[in-house]
Amino acid sequence: MASVVSSLNSFPERMPRVAGMLGALISESQFDFWAREFGSITAWRRVFARVQSLSMEGAETLSIALRPNRNFQSAEPGQHVNVSVEIDGRLCTRSYSLSRPAEGGCVSISVRREPGGLVSNHIHDHLRVGDVLELSQPYGELAEGLAEAPAQVFLAAGSGITAIYNLIAEQARRGDALQGELWYWEKQVERFCFTEELDALCQTHPQFSVRRFCNAGDSSSLYSTGRLSPEVAAPLCERYPNASVFACGGSAFVGAARELFSDVAGGFYAEAFSPPQRLDEAVAEERFFEVSLTRSGQTITVSSQRSLLDALEEAGHQPPHGCRMGICNSCSCGQRSGESQNQLNGEQLRGAGAVRLCVSRANSNIELDI
């Protein structure tokens, strides 16, 4: 057994020499299956990662250190990965930010327990050291403005702190001097994450500071109050007129930040971890259409007010998906005919093209390459 596992683990290094010969003997899916059966995270192309450690960040956020196989590409701070986990025989996928700088071949994500959240609750209740998760390649461009910024303003709300903390910590790890401020909002005091690490960075980087906001009635004088507004943000704008601004949080928070800081000299960079408000579904009467699935030969009936992904899942299908926000493109599939509409921007796709199932709905009978 040990020699078999060792051979599997060294396979990526020998891939160029043996892939052609091996491909004639065993399929990619068969190779991945048997590698997993022998306890290896090696795979032909897919990224599997083994859980190395688990630790709590605040009251409801679990940080997970993962060691991915060699198929995983290097990640930039502030990027996300899609994480797939099997729950009751079904593969479920969600998008999470990388939350700490990569170290010793490991990457980290931090998962907040969400009420009713299928994947987040499963991870909190059942994930153990040694378990294996499947990851996508990292994606996202939040760090684009880091290199040239003379000063930086970071705005984080709730789970948005994971991507923002990674941006800050990676700069410190590289030896860059931090100049600017982090403003960080949470609904309850016990939810604040990375408290010790951020306070330590303030000590070692005197031109960097953290201001925490909590509007809960029992919060102490250590925390500021108030939502992100022109009045609250005015002093920040005055202190850093040439800064780059980085924001991460829910869509309403990011939208407010964009209105306040979109014209800053250093540029505005943002990621939202919840989808923007979709087009008003009440303006049109609900209609029903048939969606023909060309690969399976099945036809389902869908509502004009439901996303195609939701309708397919309700009908028992399991198309690939990730963020469910129209960002990661994991759910994109071919539309062969008919008309669909993007629920975020109103754009219509008529005839053949690529449709993002999670944010699109049917406007007519359509054919999908599923």
Side-chain angles (χ1 to χ4, degrees):
M1 175 73 75
S3 63
V4 173
V5 173
S6 176
S7 296
L8 288 169
N9 287 334
S10 65
F11 177 75
E13 295 179 343
R14 298 180 288 117
M15 177 77 82
R17 299 194 302 271
V18 302
M21 180 177 64
L22 190 58
L25 301 175
I26 186 173
S27 70
E28 186 173 325
S29 60
Q30 288 172 327
F31 178 86
D32 292 352
F33 171 80
W34 285 110
R36 292 289 302 277
E37 287 293 298
F38 282 111
S40 174
I41 60 172
T42 299
W44 197 293
R45 304 177 197 270
R46 296 161 69 186
V47 177
F48 293 107
R50 194 177 304 279
V51 177
Q52 300 296 298
S53 66
L54 301 166
S55 59
M56 293 301 297
E57 308 281 358
E60 298 176 342
T61 301
L62 178 68
S63 281
I64 307 161
L66 297 161
R67 184 180 297 278
N69 64 22
R70 298 182 187 185
N71 295 335
F72 189 72
Q73 300 170 3
S74 60
E76 294 295 322
Q79 289 191 309
H80 317 278
V81 291
N82 292 337
V83 179
S84 297
V85 58
E86 188 172 310
I87 303 175
D88 296 330
R90 176 185 173 190
L91 194 65
C92 300
T93 304
R94 297 293 185 271
S95 177
Y96 295 107
S97 299
L98 297 169
S99 55
R100 293 180 184 276
E103 183 177 3
C106 291
V107 296
S108 295
I109 59 172
S110 297
V111 179
R112 175 160 292 183
R113 186 191 290 272
E114 299 292 345
L118 177 64
V119 174
S120 67
N121 282 285
H122 178 87
I123 286 174
H124 274 256
D125 294 337
H126 300 290
L127 194 68
R128 299 291 181 266
V129 171
D131 288 350
V132 174
L133 301 174
E134 184 170 2
L135 309 181
S136 71
Q137 296 296 350
Y139 62 92
E141 300 175 346
L142 187 59
E144 276 188 344
L146 285 178
E148 304 300 329
Q152 297 155 354
V153 171
F154 300 97
L155 307 171
S159 296
I161 190 59
T162 54
I164 293 296
Y165 174 71
N166 195 12
L167 287 177
I168 297 169
E170 176 62 20
Q171 289 185 93
R173 187 195 67 80
R174 294 173 181 173
D176 298 340
L178 299 178
Q179 299 182 43
E181 295 185 34
L182 163 64
W183 285 17
Y184 173 20
W185 279 259
E186 285 286 6
K187 293 181 179 179
Q188 286 90 35
V189 169
E190 59 271 17
R191 287 188 169 192
F192 282 102
C193 298
F194 310 114
T195 299
E196 293 182 4
E197 294 93 332
L198 287 168
D199 289 347
L201 288 173
C202 291
Q203 293 294 321
T204 56
H205 296 266
Q207 295 185 15
F208 175 73
S209 63
V210 177
R211 184 177 179 185
R212 297 177 176 89
F213 289 78
C214 184
N215 294 320
D218 57 351
S219 60
S220 72
S221 58
L222 298 174
Y223 303 95
S224 300
T225 59
R227 299 183 181 278
L228 186 59
S229 65
E231 294 75 22
V232 170
L236 200 59
C237 297
E238 293 174 3
R239 284 195 295 273
Y240 302 102
N242 298 314
S244 294
V245 178
F246 302 84
C248 191
S251 59
F253 177 83
V254 169
R258 191 182 303 276
E259 288 187 10
L260 293 170
F261 297 100
S262 60
D263 295 329
V264 294
F268 179 81
Y269 307 88
E271 295 277 3
F273 59 77
S274 62
Q277 183 66 42
R278 301 190 178 197
L279 298 177
D280 186 1
E281 295 176 346
V283 298
E285 181 181 354
E286 184 177 25
R287 296 176 294 166
F288 294 89
F289 301 108
E290 289 189 347
V291 175
S292 300
L293 310 178
T294 58
R295 291 186 184 181
S296 66
Q298 298 180 341
T299 299
I300 64 172
T301 301
V302 303
S303 166
S304 62
Q305 296 183 357
R306 298 282 287 168
S307 76
L308 290 168
L309 178 60
D310 287 344
L312 286 163
E313 289 180 334
E314 289 174 359
H317 296 274
Q318 299 180 21
H321 64 274
C323 66
R324 306 184 81 96
M325 298 186 292
I327 297 174
C328 73
N329 209 38
S330 297
C331 67
S332 180
C333 79
Q335 174 180 299
R336 295 193 176 186
S337 66
E339 180 182 303
S340 60
Q341 183 176 29
N342 187 305
Q343 294 175 272
L344 301 182
N345 57 28
E347 292 181 357
Q348 296 176 338
L349 173 63
R350 296 183 177 93
V355 58
R356 296 186 182 186
L357 299 175
C358 68
V359 294
S360 298
R361 59 189 178 189
N363 274 357
S364 72
N365 295 336
I366 60 177
E367 286 185 305
L368 296 178
D369 192 17
I370 295 177

